Amino acid sequence: MNVAALDQLWVYLSGNPLLSLLVTLLAFMIAVRLNRALGGTPLLHPVTLSIAILIGFLLLVDMDYATYFEGAQFIHFLLGPATVALAIPLYDHRERVRRLLGPLLLACITGILTAVTSTVGLAMLLGIRQETLLSLAPRSVTSPIAMGIAEQIGGIPSLAAGLVLLTGSIGCALGPAIFRLLKITDPAVQGFTMGLSAHGFGTAHSFARLGAVAGAFSGLSMGLTGLLTAFLLPLITRLLGLS
């Protein structure tokens, strides 16, 4: 096949929306294999590796994000149903959730306040500029919510999304060690903690490594944290004089 034919083939493929879908799936498959080859370390989570591979591909072929997203939006669409599906395992433990609803809400609010104030306080001490600081504040909620909150309070949505991914990776890496150190064995507590601190990454880790109960409570925590943060964070930033 000569160069002209290859050029024509590439023009055809680059104009086909299915190329983005195919590349996304291949990137994730490669990332999963790489993660397993590296011992399954959470610091190199398949999602993080996939993003790096996709960024490299887009730079290599000079494809803009809008063109890529046109083909990959089907996967984006599935994010909603996948999130809603987390309610299925949670339904199986609804009685326990009902009994623990008060402590769970208190723990969630405490976790949000701790995460936000510690992050913002440290960032202010380090002299980080306000726009970056406001992008750091919603780092412990899932990416779509964090991006919306960051935009609302004056942060940078794309930076917030990247910081969320980093937070999730670190949370998955440190969480199990902290559980062992503190001798926490209750899967509900483990899962709720992972969802609160590491959002979607923590929920996936809970289902895969800690069991269905931990996954159910992690999904609950992720949802509650996102919902409450959307209401509380703008108020906190105003109280701190940041917006």
Side-chain angles (χ1 to χ4, degrees):
M1 187 177 289
N2 57 35
V3 176
L6 287 173
D7 288 340
Q8 290 178 353
L9 177 61
W10 171 245
V11 170
Y12 170 76
L13 289 175
S14 60
N16 192 328
L18 292 179
L19 175 65
S20 299
L21 180 60
L22 176 62
V23 169
T24 303
L25 295 176
L26 287 175
F28 185 73
M29 291 172 63
I30 294 170
V32 169
R33 290 184 176 273
L34 284 174
N35 180 261
R36 289 175 180 170
L38 295 170
T41 171
L43 289 175
L44 292 173
H45 195 280
V47 174
T48 307
L49 289 173
S50 299
I51 292 172
I53 293 172
L54 286 171
I55 290 174
F57 171 78
L58 295 181
L59 291 174
L60 180 65
V61 302
D62 194 26
M63 180 185 293
D64 60 83
Y65 179 75
T67 302
Y68 161 77
F69 186 73
E70 183 181 354
Q73 60 182 328
F74 177 71
I75 296 177
H76 181 266
F77 166 78
L78 292 176
L79 179 63
T83 304
V84 173
L86 292 173
I88 297 174
L90 186 61
Y91 180 80
D92 294 333
H93 304 282
R94 61 191 181 281
E95 291 301 328
R96 189 175 184 184
V97 172
R98 187 180 292 113
R99 292 196 306 269
L100 297 174
L101 186 59
L104 291 177
L105 285 173
L106 180 60
C108 192
I109 292 173
T110 302
I112 292 169
L113 293 176
T114 301
V116 173
T117 54
S118 62
T119 300
V120 171
L122 183 59
M124 292 175 69
L125 286 175
L126 294 174
I128 294 176
R129 62 192 183 98
Q130 183 167 319
E131 192 177 32
T132 304
L133 188 151
L134 293 173
S135 305
L136 273 165
R139 63 176 177 79
S140 288
V141 299
T142 190
S143 294
I145 298 177
M147 293 175 69
I149 295 173
E151 184 176 14
Q152 179 184 359
I153 64 177
I156 306 170
S158 56
L159 177 58
L163 292 169
V164 165
L165 296 177
L166 182 60
T167 299
S169 297
I170 295 173
C172 289
L174 297 181
I178 293 173
F179 295 149
R180 289 193 297 269
L181 180 65
L182 299 178
K183 298 181 179 179
I184 298 173
T185 57
D186 187 335
V189 176
Q190 292 178 337
F192 196 85
T193 303
M194 293 299 291
L196 175 59
S197 60
H199 46 82
F201 278 30
T203 301
H205 178 85
S206 296
F207 273 112
R209 302 291 179 87
L210 303 178
V213 174
F217 276 85
S218 184
L220 171 65
S221 177
M222 181 179 69
L224 284 177
T225 302
L227 177 64
L228 293 174
T229 301
F231 286 100
L232 292 176
L233 188 53
L235 176 61
I236 294 172
T237 54
R238 282 199 294 270
L239 290 174
L240 294 175
L242 298 174
S243 61

